Structures are given as structure tokens and as C-alpha cells.
Amino acid sequence: MMKITIKDIAEKANVSVATVSRVVNNKSKGVGEDTRKRILELVEEYNYQPSAVARGLVTKKSKIIGLIIPDLTNPFYPKMAKGIEDEASKHGYNIILCDGNNSMDKEAAYLDFLGEHYVCGIIYNNFKNISDTILNKILKSSLPLVFIDSKPEIKGCKCVYLDNHKAMYDMIEYLIHNGHRRIGFMTGPLDSYSINERYKGYLKALEDNGIAIDSDLVVQGEYAIKDGYDAMERLLETGTDMTAVACCNDLMAIGAMEKIEELGMCVPEDISVVGFDNIEMTRLVRPKLTTVAQPIYDMGREAARMIINIIEGHGKHTQDNLVFEPSLVIRDSVKKIEK
Amino acid sequence: MMKITIKDIAEKANVSVATVSRVVNNKSKGVGEDTRKRILELVEEYNYQPSAVARGLVTKKSKIIGLIIPDLTNPFYPKMAKGIEDEASKHGYNIILCDGNNSMDKEAAYLDFLGEHYVCGIIYNNFKNISDTILNKILKSSLPLVFIDSKPEIKGCKCVYLDNHKAMYDMIEYLIHNGHRRIGFMTGPLDSYSINERYKGYLKALEDNGIAIDSDLVVQGEYAIKDGYDAMERLLETGTDMTAVACCNDLMAIGAMEKIEELGMCVPEDISVVGFDNIEMTRLVRPKLTTVAQPIYDMGREAARMIINIIEGHGKHTQDNLVFEPSLVIRDSVKKIEK
DNA sequence: TTGAAAGCGGTACCAG
DNA sequence: CTGGTACCGCTTTCAA
């Protein structure tokens, strides 16, 4: 069953393709009411769908925004995607969602993929600092691009992200105010902008409070629950006298809690744990996890708005960086230590 | 900065576009080694990316599979998407992921969207029984289509799904064997194939065990945590003497547990709760939730394999239905009632 | 080994 | 108000 084309409709209606094109695109000024109606009926009857491909070839526009995220199974990202999606559809744009699967190669492949197809812009949540290969692709590409949840070293690139430094700084200070001084840090890969900022925030907070930095108190891991679980095991071996751990995301924190509990210890009595992101799980887990909230849905919306501005050319004066403020969500996973 | 086209490369290389096309597509038999090299260099230098759009227009093939799911924020679906993605990329296919946002209209819109673009097939996880509008779109479309996690009333349609009836039947029997007889049922919208099957499984298990059906023991809600929370409140009002509730998905079950706890009661001491899907959260929540596991990642992979078979024409003998077996995951949210 | 040219399904401009 | 037609960027015969 061949797909119906504009030519088929034109034949059946005894008009030219130009006319069909006119009515299909609602540029009906200059089309007789009767022909218009006849064509519309045919369109309906044969379920004619204009090929966006052919159309894209001539118009070079597509109303499709590509979105690359690191990992769909971290609940943080679907929420971001929703924000982007909601804002985009409001403006008639569709999203192509690509899950980079925590792999630079996959991300690079998707960048190519999106470049070859006619997306009109890309929102890119790179999970690590971009490699030279990727940097090159981006530089050579003329596609509008906004980074979300990161801020690469590219002059003039558009970014929306959280003030990660402040976020972690505040969190560590909160821990310190609660009497903690031996504070562990569970980091993700440090070659990620966000993670690196968080790490710096941790360091700075310790420093500002006159607490010595101890590398035995920091472990590095990947981002999933299982990774936090594993990392906690390692941290417990090196981190003597540790009374609290700050984790770089909620998933890791939850994994850490699992490990602690499995070892017969209690959170927060034996050790306090805090996370980052405020995903829904943090509310559900026992004890409820203290964490820092990112307005991720809104960040998504703003990123969408930003790229649409650029695409539609209203973006000459769009600011380069949009940075959001974090907020602490205090729950039950931190113990107050009396002095 | 205009995008580089095949013509540009051809000019620079002093050859025809046909030749460039040949080398770009590795149909190099019949291209001089030197010209070949020269062209490849140009391609590299100018970062030439052939327009998949133009190519798609002529070849009518695209290696893109559209995937429609109900809601990205239910962790069940990202896992399914991963399965599909992984299998698809193994065969060189890409996925366009569309989040229907629990809305038929959105789903319909995406169906159109995918139809207009040149995807080569669609994997569709409809969240409710398909409407006539959608049925029509599907019937009129010539695109390969496989349904996942549902089984619509369309002759000859390809489906991969769980034996939902058996799943819920087994779960209810498990409850009964543990001494429960006043068992509540928290259902999702009944005009969904999967949900309806689960409901029937519930009914059948009661019947087979000589337990009277009591409509005061069933509530209906939507699928999110909040919905389960709300539904539980209603159920508690009508469901007298209820000792257990079976929920149609884990999210609802978790919401139900929240409500129960908030009311000062305990799970499972005061009331047992079971879920469905075995999302990761069920392991994390306290008490750990007893639920039924769907091999959703594998189901995704099989769905991908199925549609690729159809697309590539090896699918003449593909079976219509692929049904997976559920398995109970017994954890801590069910109390054994001594007789 | 290479080139010319006919489309693919539309859009948009120019005529009539 | 409508039709003819030149592209858009690429693939694919058919000839040379």
C-alpha cells in the first residue's frame, strides 16, 4: 500500500499540486471555497499526510528539537525532559529524545544523528566534559545548541544550569552546623562540570570552616544506586571517624544507605547521609533523605524557551547563561551531634 | 553558515555528485582509489554530513523507529525504552522516543508526527484502549507497528505483553494463602488491556477460592504515587475489615503505603500492600514491597527485534503475540494471618 | 571508472 | 483563483 502523495490528491481533485499545497498549508487566500472544500474532503478520505521529509527538504525547517540526556533511568532526567517537552509543545515543537546511556561515544553518535536529520536545534545534557571530538562537531555545526545542567568551556555557548558550587557549599555548611567535622564526599566522575563544581563547594566549605581536607574521606563512583552502594563500601574502609557523607546525587546516596544498613549500622544514628537532586525516591526511602533540590522541571522549560528563541531569531539578546538557585530539603537523614 | 552539500564536495573534488554519493555510501566498487581518497579527505575537512532528509526522500527508508510510551516519569518505561534502544542500536536503528504524557490526544498527535516523518516502524505502548480515531490512523497507515504491554482488538496485530491475568491471579492467591480474605483492589483505568486483565485475574482468584466479590473493596485511580495515595483514602472509607490491598502498579502501591502510614497505621501489621512491576523503588521503600516482576527490559528487546524483523521483511512468519511470564517477588509488605 | 539526468514529495515563485 | 515549474539534496539507473 503506497503512501498517498500530494500528486495523488491533486489528480483526484483535478487541480494542480500547487493548489493542494496551498490548502493543506492553510494559505488558502486565493483558493476558491469549493475547490478548497473538495480538496479537504479528499485529504480526509485518503488520510493524506504530507511528508515532513519532503517538506523539510525544501523549507529546511522542522520544528523538531533534539534532546540528549545521559541516562533515562535516573529519574532526574525524565523530569527535565518533561519540562522541555511541555514548553516545546506549547510552541509547536516536537522533541526527539536520545539517551546517551552514560557514554561519550553514544552521545557523539547522537550528535551526528541529529545533525544529519533536520532538527532545528539541540538541547544537550552532556554527562562529562565534552571531548575534543564532540567539541569539534559542535563548533563545526551551525545548529542552535543549548547546554543544560552543564557549562562547557566554549565562548558564547548558551547554558542553563544550577549553581552547583553554592548548592554543595550550603549542604556541607548545614552538616557542619549540625556538628559534623569528619564529612565524607562521594563524588561522581570529576570530569563533569556539575560534579566538579560540587566538589569545589565541598572543599571550600570545609576550608571556610577551618576543617582540614582529608583525601581518605572522598570516593569516586558512577551515578547509579549500585555505584553508590559499592562506593560506600570503599569509603568505609578509608574514612575513619566519619560521621556524615555527602553524595553527588540521590541515587548514590540511596545506594550508600543500603550498604550502611546492610552492615548493621543506622542512618543517621551511626552515620548521616545526604543526597543531591531531590528525586521523588528521597521522600520514600527511610529515613527520608536530606538533599538539595534543583528546579529541574523549570530548568527544562527555560532551556526549551531559550533554544526556541534562538531558533526563531528572537535570540540575539538572549543571555548566555541562566543559572538557577538550589534549595536545601531538610529531612531525616542527618543527625545533630551535640558538642 | 550554510550546510555543506554533496554538490559542494563534488565541485571541490572536481567530480560528479554521483561519484561522491558512491564513496560516501561505500559503494566504491567502480571508483578510482585516488578519487576515492580525495573525496574522503574533503568530506573530513568540511565535516560533510549527508542530509538524512534528502536521502530519506529518495530511499524511503530511515532506520528510525518511533516509540510511544505513556509516561517517562514512571520508572517502568525508561527500563523498557532501554531494552528497545539497546536491541535497536545493535541493528543500526535509532529510536525517537515520544512521551504521550498519559493522554490519548498526545498519543494521537505523536502517531501523526511519526507518520509524517519517515520512521520505518512504530512501537506503541498505548496507556488505554485505543480510541476509534487512533484505530483509524493505525488501520490506514502502512507502517509496521508492534504493540508492547498491550493487546488491542485488531486482527493480526503484533503484540508483546505480559500474562497479566496470571500475574494478578497468582498474587491474589499468594495473599489468600497468607490468610487474607478481605482483599482490596486498587485498579488503574479499566479501559486499558493490561489493567483489565489484572482486574479479571483478581476476580477469578477470589472466585476460585470461594471468596465473595465486594465492590466496596475496589477503587480506581490513575497511575502515579499521588493517585495511589488519594485512592487509598477512598478505599479505606468503603473497605471495611480489609486486611490487604493489591495495587495495579508499584507507584500506586507506594502512594497507598504513604497514606496508610500517615494515618498512623502500619504495613503490613495493620494492612498488607502489594504492587506490580517491580520497579527499583520497591526494594528501597520500607517495608520492602512485595510485587510482581515483569521482564520489561527483555520485553523491550523482543519488541525491537520483532519490529525490525517486520521492517526487514524477515517477518512473514513472525508470530503475532509474544507473551511473557510474570514472577512474584516476595518481600516484606504482606503479613501472614494465622487462622 | 565516471557523469548526466530522472526522480523522491513537497514549496514557492511567476504567469496567466 | 489557479497552474506550471524550478528547485531542495540525494540515490540510482543508463550511457559513455
Side-chain angles (χ1 to χ4, degrees):
Chain A
M1 186 192 342
M2 274 305 293
K3 247 197 164 242
I4 290 279
T5 75
I6 197 174
K7 220 180 278 177
D8 300 321
I9 300 291
E11 260 173 37
K12 292 182 203 298
N14 252 307
V15 295
S16 72
V17 294
T19 303
V20 176
S21 177
R22 282 184 193 107
V23 349
V24 167
N25 291 292
N26 265 318
K27 298 192 164 67
S28 313
K29 47 169 188 180
V31 177
E33 191 48 38
D34 42 343
T35 25
R36 207 183 104 76
K37 227 176 184 164
R38 189 152 36 99
I39 291 172
L40 252 17
E41 274 165 14
L42 260 354
V43 166
E44 178 68 16
E45 180 181 349
Y46 291 93
N47 192 238
Y48 164 66
Q49 290 182 306
S51 155
V53 178
R55 183 182 280 164
L57 187 55
V58 18
T59 64
K60 273 124 186 290
K61 298 201 200 87
S62 77
K63 294 280 194 173
I64 303 180
I65 295 169
L67 170 60
I68 303 179
I69 58 161
D71 180 16
L72 222 36
T73 60
N74 179 343
F76 180 74
Y77 298 111
K79 225 164 166 184
M80 185 178 91
K82 282 273 194 210
I84 293 173
E85 237 274 335
D86 288 351
E87 184 65 24
S89 18
K90 215 180 285 177
H91 299 267
Y93 286 81
N94 277 103
I95 299 294
I96 294 186
L97 207 180
C98 307
D99 179 350
N101 213 22
N102 283 334
S103 145
M104 287 281 252
D105 290 345
K106 199 102 215 247
E107 280 184 8
Y110 271 127
L111 239 18
D112 280 340
F113 172 76
L114 293 174
E116 286 166 9
H117 294 75
Y118 55 139
V119 301
C120 56
I122 296 180
I123 299 179
Y124 183 15
N125 187 164
N126 52 317
F127 92 113
K128 280 190 185 176
N129 287 341
I130 54 183
S131 64
D132 287 350
T133 326
I134 290 185
L135 181 61
N136 249 302
K137 283 188 201 304
I138 290 171
L139 259 22
K140 287 197 182 165
S141 155
S142 48
L143 275 179
L145 178 63
V146 352
F147 290 92
I148 185 167
D149 190 30
S150 83
K151 180 175 150 45
E153 299 286 344
I154 304 178
K155 75 290 159 257
C157 72
K158 309 287 182 181
C159 310
V160 359
Y161 58 95
L162 188 82
D163 187 342
N164 285 283
H165 185 99
K166 178 181 192 316
M168 191 52 87
Y169 186 94
D170 289 352
M171 180 56 97
I172 301 299
E173 285 234 302
Y174 168 74
L175 256 16
I176 293 173
H177 292 333
N178 275 276
H180 296 273
R181 297 190 65 86
R182 293 284 292 170
I183 302 173
F185 190 71
M186 185 180 293
T187 179
L190 281 170
D191 53 354
S192 140
Y193 172 77
S194 302
I195 299 298
N196 201 259
E197 285 295 304
R198 291 174 203 178
Y199 184 49
K200 286 190 206 148
Y202 162 75
L203 260 22
K204 189 68 166 45
L206 292 187
E207 189 191 323
D208 286 358
N209 286 274
I211 300 178
I213 281 132
D214 181 349
S215 66
D216 284 348
L217 252 27
V218 354
V219 247
Q220 176 164 346
E222 293 294 322
Y223 298 114
I225 291 181
K226 170 135 201 7
D227 303 313
Y229 177 90
D230 292 341
M232 194 65 212
E233 178 154 35
R234 279 177 279 133
L235 183 56
L236 252 11
E237 282 167 12
T238 62
T240 48
D241 303 328
M242 187 173 60
T243 62
V245 210
C247 305
C248 263
N249 79 17
D250 287 332
L251 257 20
M252 299 175 92
I254 288 168
M257 282 175 55
E258 265 195 291
K259 170 56 79 181
I260 292 170
E261 185 178 311
E262 193 182 293
L263 260 26
M265 298 188 290
C266 280
V267 176
E269 290 72 16
D270 298 308
I271 187 160
S272 298
V273 176
V274 299
F276 203 109
D277 284 348
N278 194 33
I279 60 177
E280 195 159 26
M281 258 186 237
T282 55
R283 232 186 57 225
L284 270 9
V285 112
R286 290 296 111 91
K288 295 181 184 173
L289 189 65
T290 289
T291 187
V292 4
Q294 305 196 43
I296 187 57
Y297 179 83
D298 289 332
M299 288 168 69
R301 294 191 53 160
E302 285 305 328
R305 195 168 297 160
M306 201 180 233
I307 198 147
I308 291 172
N309 269 338
I310 301 174
I311 291 166
E312 300 188 344
H314 320 313
K316 293 110 184 162
H317 308 298
T318 312
Q319 54 185 320
D320 284 354
N321 297 305
L322 200 52
V323 8
F324 281 75
E325 286 301 305
S327 55
L328 255 45
V329 180
I330 310 296
R331 289 200 270 246
D332 312 328
S333 63
V334 172
K335 175 184 178 186
K336 186 163 182 59
I337 298 182
E338 309 298 337
K339 321 207 162 173
Chain B
M1 184 194 343
M2 273 306 293
K3 247 197 162 236
I4 290 279
T5 75
I6 198 174
K7 218 180 281 177
D8 300 321
I9 300 291
E11 258 173 37
K12 291 182 202 300
N14 252 307
V15 296
S16 72
V17 295
T19 303
V20 176
S21 175
R22 283 185 191 105
V23 350
V24 167
N25 292 292
N26 263 319
K27 298 193 164 70
S28 312
K29 46 170 185 176
V31 178
E33 192 48 38
D34 43 344
T35 26
R36 206 183 104 77
K37 229 178 185 160
R38 190 152 34 99
I39 290 172
L40 251 18
E41 274 164 16
L42 261 352
V43 165
E44 178 69 16
E45 180 181 350
Y46 290 93
N47 191 239
Y48 165 64
Q49 289 181 306
S51 156
V53 178
R55 183 182 281 166
L57 186 54
V58 17
T59 64
K60 274 126 185 286
K61 298 200 199 88
S62 78
K63 295 276 196 176
I64 302 180
I65 296 168
L67 169 61
I68 304 178
I69 58 161
D71 180 16
L72 223 34
T73 60
N74 180 342
F76 180 75
Y77 298 112
K79 223 163 168 186
M80 184 178 93
K82 282 273 195 209
I84 293 173
E85 238 275 336
D86 288 351
E87 184 66 24
S89 21
K90 214 179 287 176
H91 299 266
Y93 286 79
N94 278 104
I95 299 293
I96 294 185
L97 207 180
C98 308
D99 179 350
N101 213 20
N102 283 334
S103 144
M104 288 281 251
D105 290 345
K106 199 101 215 250
E107 280 184 6
Y110 270 126
L111 239 18
D112 280 340
F113 172 77
L114 294 174
E116 285 166 9
H117 294 75
Y118 54 139
V119 300
C120 57
I122 296 179
I123 299 179
Y124 183 14
N125 187 165
N126 53 315
F127 91 113
K128 280 190 184 177
N129 287 341
I130 55 183
S131 63
D132 288 349
T133 326
I134 290 185
L135 181 62
N136 249 302
K137 283 187 202 305
I138 290 171
L139 260 20
K140 286 197 184 168
S141 155
S142 48
L143 276 178
L145 178 62
V146 351
F147 290 92
I148 185 167
D149 189 31
S150 82
K151 179 175 152 45
E153 300 286 345
I154 304 177
K155 75 288 161 258
C157 72
K158 309 285 183 183
C159 311
V160 359
Y161 57 96
L162 187 82
D163 187 341
N164 285 283
H165 186 100
K166 177 180 191 318
M168 190 53 86
Y169 186 95
D170 289 353
M171 180 56 98
I172 300 299
E173 285 234 302
Y174 168 74
L175 256 15
I176 294 172
H177 292 334
N178 274 276
H180 296 273
R181 297 192 63 87
R182 293 283 292 170
I183 301 172
F185 190 71
M186 185 179 293
T187 179
L190 282 170
D191 52 354
S192 140
Y193 171 76
S194 301
I195 299 298
N196 201 260
E197 285 296 303
R198 291 173 202 178
Y199 184 49
K200 286 190 205 148
Y202 162 75
L203 261 18
K204 188 70 165 43
L206 292 187
E207 189 192 321
D208 286 358
N209 285 274
I211 299 178
I213 282 135
D214 180 351
S215 65
D216 284 347
L217 251 28
V218 356
V219 247
Q220 178 165 347
E222 294 295 323
Y223 298 114
I225 292 181
K226 173 137 200 5
D227 303 313
Y229 177 91
D230 292 341
M232 194 64 211
E233 179 154 33
R234 279 177 279 134
L235 183 55
L236 252 12
E237 282 167 11
T238 63
T240 48
D241 304 326
M242 188 173 59
T243 62
V245 209
C247 305
C248 263
N249 78 16
D250 287 333
L251 258 20
M252 299 174 90
I254 288 168
M257 282 174 56
E258 265 195 292
K259 170 56 79 180
I260 292 169
E261 185 178 312
E262 194 181 292
L263 261 26
M265 298 188 290
C266 281
V267 176
E269 290 73 15
D270 298 309
I271 187 161
S272 297
V273 175
V274 299
F276 202 110
D277 285 347
N278 194 34
I279 59 177
E280 197 160 24
M281 259 187 235
T282 54
R283 232 186 58 225
L284 271 9
V285 113
R286 289 296 111 90
K288 294 181 184 172
L289 190 65
T290 290
T291 187
V292 4
Q294 303 196 43
I296 188 58
Y297 178 85
D298 290 332
M299 287 168 68
R301 294 192 52 160
E302 285 306 328
R305 195 167 297 160
M306 200 180 232
I307 198 147
I308 291 172
N309 269 339
I310 300 174
I311 290 166
E312 301 188 343
H314 319 314
K316 292 110 184 160
H317 308 299
T318 312
Q319 53 185 319
D320 284 353
N321 297 305
L322 201 52
V323 7
F324 280 76
E325 287 300 306
S327 56
L328 255 45
V329 181
I330 310 295
R331 289 199 272 245
D332 311 327
S333 63
V334 172
K335 174 183 177 187
K336 186 162 180 63
I337 299 181
E338 310 297 339
K339 321 207 164 174

